[in-house]
């Protein structure tokens, strides 16, 4: 197919170019900056800046190994520039392609030359203590007829019930304080986000966001559903929105201050998605309005960040153009947009939290990256836990990093009640072959921004994709609930589950009290 599209002259030109690039790549020391003295490699860098940086932050070649760049990432990116990719690794640039075949080969040569043969594991800044720290394990009785594919664990702090959802069964399960389950509601797809609140009349309500599909595809079947947890029947649920693009979170806010509760939805999507405002009308119906129609919205925090009395948004985007964006309410039914932090497109951002680490009255940022299910399925030394201190005027400075392969979520709170913030983390894409204990860590803060990491021995009970931090047993301290997504998304070759595939969740009870 490829050869039928090219004339003999074109084939000869491609052959000459390929030989020239092969000589250029072979003559350059792997990963050497001196390689940029070669005109072909230098032009490849300029082409990467021109074409790649137009969509997202330009990723440095050193972020991935040669094979991952050449065989996986660049072939996946080529169609975005109008190139056709064939199974044998050949490319074709038609008349509508944004880059010529010749220039594409130079761009490849740039990454292939400067990328390392393999990524070196990160050095751990502090020694890890393997113990239970403050916690003790409690788990439900496993149903061996079921495979755990948990997508949600969420504690209702009003009704004091624990909820979970499962990707296989598309259900919503409620657990009592003794971890006895009851089917609460059957849904069209799995729940990934929950919010519990009281309405204007004081009655408890729950908002559940369903994903629609776990597949990385543009299938918009997500929903936002409102339910009364105290009702005798769950048939009284109200569907606020349908056909949402793989939404991961919904948060409540009266965006336009008309006295009606609106919702902001993070539609991660795939190639299509975005951040949306579900505006409540006077008839209590909702209209969907785009705030930033770019895929990858994963988490939003509501707050009055410029102290003008109106609700603003801070949002993490985790696909292609990764970073944290601030959306300031313009008081006219819209927002002004500002980028606060930007990350390379291979980071795989997973979560953030606004919390004051240094007690200066300004909200700092706890950030994690570790999603590893796309085109670069290799362990990455920059995955892990980050702290960015607020410098004022919406400027943030990185002051802490702890490497965790495949880090999925971090939550900071004062677990040991000594007056400072500790951190709990989970890692769905941990190094399960050589370091499975990093799948759940507890960081005990001993001095300002100095932490003692504890590896909680729970890797045999599940593979943790979701976590909630709340006072499960109502004794005044923060407990952990971990959800087990036990099958699929395995990126390490030859790895078979060494964890329990039946337990849907576990509770780590805080023994401080």
């Amino acid at each position: 197919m490829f050869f039928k599209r090219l004339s003999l002259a074109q084939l000869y030109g491609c052959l000459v170019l390929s030989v020239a690039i092969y000589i250029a790549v072979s003559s350059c020391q792997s990963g050497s900056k001196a390689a940029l003295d070669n005109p072909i490699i230098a032009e490849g860098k300029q082409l990467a800046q021109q074409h790649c940086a137009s969509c997202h932050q330009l990723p440095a070649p050193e972020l991935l190994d040669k094979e991952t760049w050449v065989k996986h990432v660049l072939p996946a990116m080529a169609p975005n520039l109008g190139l056709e990719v064939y199974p044998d690794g050949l490319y074709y640039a038609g008349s509508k392609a944004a880059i010529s075949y010749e220039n594409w080969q130079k761009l490849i040569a740039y990454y292939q030359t400067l990328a390392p043969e393999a990524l070196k594991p990160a050095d751990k800044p502090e020694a890890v203590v393997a113990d239970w720290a403050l916690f003790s394990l409690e788990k439900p009785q496993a149903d061996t007829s079921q495979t755990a594919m948990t997508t949600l664990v969420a504690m209702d702090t009003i009704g004091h019930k624990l909820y979970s959802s499962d990707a296989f069964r598309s259900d919503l399960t409620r657990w009592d304080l003794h971890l006895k389950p009851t089917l609460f509601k059957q849904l069209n797809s799995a729940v990934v986000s929950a919010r519990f609140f009281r309405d204007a009349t004081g009655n408890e309500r729950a908002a559940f966001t369903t994903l629609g599909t776990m597949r990385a595809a543009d299938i918009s079947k997500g929903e936002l559903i409102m339910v009364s947890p105290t009702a005798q029947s769950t048939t009284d649920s109200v569907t606020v929105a349908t056909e949402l693009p793989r939404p991961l979170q919904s948060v409540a806010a009266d965006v336009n201050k008309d006295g009606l509760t609106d919702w902001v939805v993070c539609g991660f999507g795939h190639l299509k998605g975005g951040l949306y405002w579900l505006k409540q009308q006077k008839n209590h119906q909702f209209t969907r309005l785009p705030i930033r129609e770019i895929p990858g919205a994963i988490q939003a925090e509501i707050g009055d960040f410029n102290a003008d009395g109106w609700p603003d948004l801070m949002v993490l985007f985790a696909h292609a153009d990764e970073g944290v964006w601030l959306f300031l309410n313009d008081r006219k039914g819209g927002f002004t947009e500002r980028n606060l932090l930007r990350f390379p497109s291979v980071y795989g951002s997973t979560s953030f939290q606004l919390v004051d680490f240094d007690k200066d009255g300004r909200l700092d940022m706890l950030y994690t990256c570790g999603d590893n299910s796309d085109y670069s399925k290799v362990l990455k030394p920059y995955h892990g836990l980050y702290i960015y201190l607020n410098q004022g005027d919406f400027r943030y400075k990185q002051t802490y990093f702890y490497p965790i392969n495949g880090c999925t979520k971090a939550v900071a709170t004062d677990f040991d009640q000594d007056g400072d913030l500790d951190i709990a983390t989970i890692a769905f894409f941990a190094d399960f072959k050589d370091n499975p204990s990093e799948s759940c860590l507890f960081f005990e803060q001993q001095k300002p921004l100095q932490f003692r990491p504890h590896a909680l021995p729970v890797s045999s009970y599940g593979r943790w994709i979701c976590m909630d931090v709340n006072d499960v047993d109502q004794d005044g301290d923060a407990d952990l609930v971990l959800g087990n997504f036990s099958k699929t998304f395995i990126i390490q070759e030859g790895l078979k589950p060494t964890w329990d595939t039946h337990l849907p969740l576990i509770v780590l009870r805080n023994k401080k009290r």
Side-chain angles (χ1 to χ4, degrees), residues 289-302:
L289 302 172
I291 299 173
R292 185 175 190 246
E293 209 150 20
I294 299 294
I298 191 172
Q299 185 183 344
E301 296 289 340
I302 307 291

Side-chain angles (χ1 to χ4, degrees), residues 131-194:
D131 63 10
W132 287 98
L134 304 172
F135 304 97
S136 63
L137 173 69
E138 184 171 338
K139 56 187 178 71
Q141 183 175 351
D143 183 352
T144 56
S145 68
Q146 302 283 1
T147 298
M149 302 289 277
T150 305
T151 58
L152 167 88
V153 286
M155 183 65 191
D156 174 7
T157 57
I158 300 174
H160 303 294
K161 294 291 191 299
L162 177 64
Y163 290 83
S164 70
S165 188
D166 185 275
F168 272 170
R169 295 183 288 279
S170 298
D171 62 350
L172 194 58
T173 298
R174 186 156 65 184
W175 304 78
D176 65 17
L177 294 178
H178 303 290
L179 297 186
K180 302 294 184 182
T182 303
L183 176 64
F184 180 68
K185 190 171 181 60
Q186 192 65 44
L187 299 164
N188 294 323
S189 62
V191 179
V192 289
S193 174

Side-chain angles (χ1 to χ4, degrees), residues 332-351:
K332 301 175 183 178
F335 297 88
T336 58
E337 176 184 326
R338 177 175 176 177
N339 176 245
L340 303 182
L341 293 173
R342 212 171 182 201
F343 309 111
S345 54
V346 297
Y347 262 41
S349 301
T350 46
S351 76

Side-chain angles (χ1 to χ4, degrees), residues 176-250:
D176 65 17
L177 294 178
H178 303 290
L179 297 186
K180 302 294 184 182
T182 303
L183 176 64
F184 180 68
K185 190 171 181 60
Q186 192 65 44
L187 299 164
N188 294 323
S189 62
V191 179
V192 289
S193 174
R195 289 289 184 273
F196 304 94
F197 60 97
R198 294 193 184 277
D199 61 20
T201 62
N203 294 319
E204 183 182 0
R205 303 289 288 172
F208 297 107
T209 304
T210 66
L211 182 60
T213 177
M214 293 289 293
R215 290 175 53 201
D218 286 314
I219 301 174
S220 297
K221 292 186 177 181
E223 299 176 313
L224 175 58
I225 299 170
M226 209 77 65
V227 177
S228 173
T230 58
Q232 295 299 316
S233 171
T234 57
T235 58
D236 66 340
S237 63
V238 175
T239 301
V240 174
T242 61
E243 299 181 357
L244 298 172
R246 299 179 72 218
L248 293 180
Q249 186 198 41
S250 303

Side-chain angles (χ1 to χ4, degrees), residues 30-31 56-77 108-120 322 344-348 371-383 491:
S30 177
H56 49 72
Q57 186 181 88
L58 181 67
E62 296 82 4
L63 290 174
L64 296 173
D65 61 89
K66 293 181 187 296
E67 182 177 357
T68 300
W69 276 122
V70 175
K71 292 186 178 181
H72 302 289
V73 174
L74 292 174
M77 296 300 103
I108 291 175
Y110 163 63
Y111 280 98
Q112 185 176 8
T113 303
L114 290 181
E117 293 292 341
L119 297 181
K120 295 181 179 179
E322 299 192 25
S345 54
V346 297
Y347 262 41
D371 185 11
N372 220 352
S373 61
D374 289 329
Y375 307 115
S376 55
K377 299 176 183 179
V378 293
L379 298 178
K380 302 178 174 75
Y382 42 85
H383 275 176
I491 66 168

Side-chain angles (χ1 to χ4, degrees), residues 358-379:
D358 54 4
K359 302 179 183 180
D360 64 353
R362 296 190 294 239
L363 291 176
D364 308 306
M365 196 178 301
L366 183 68
Y367 163 80
T368 62
C369 58
D371 185 11
N372 220 352
S373 61
D374 289 329
Y375 307 115
S376 55
K377 299 176 183 179
V378 293
L379 298 178

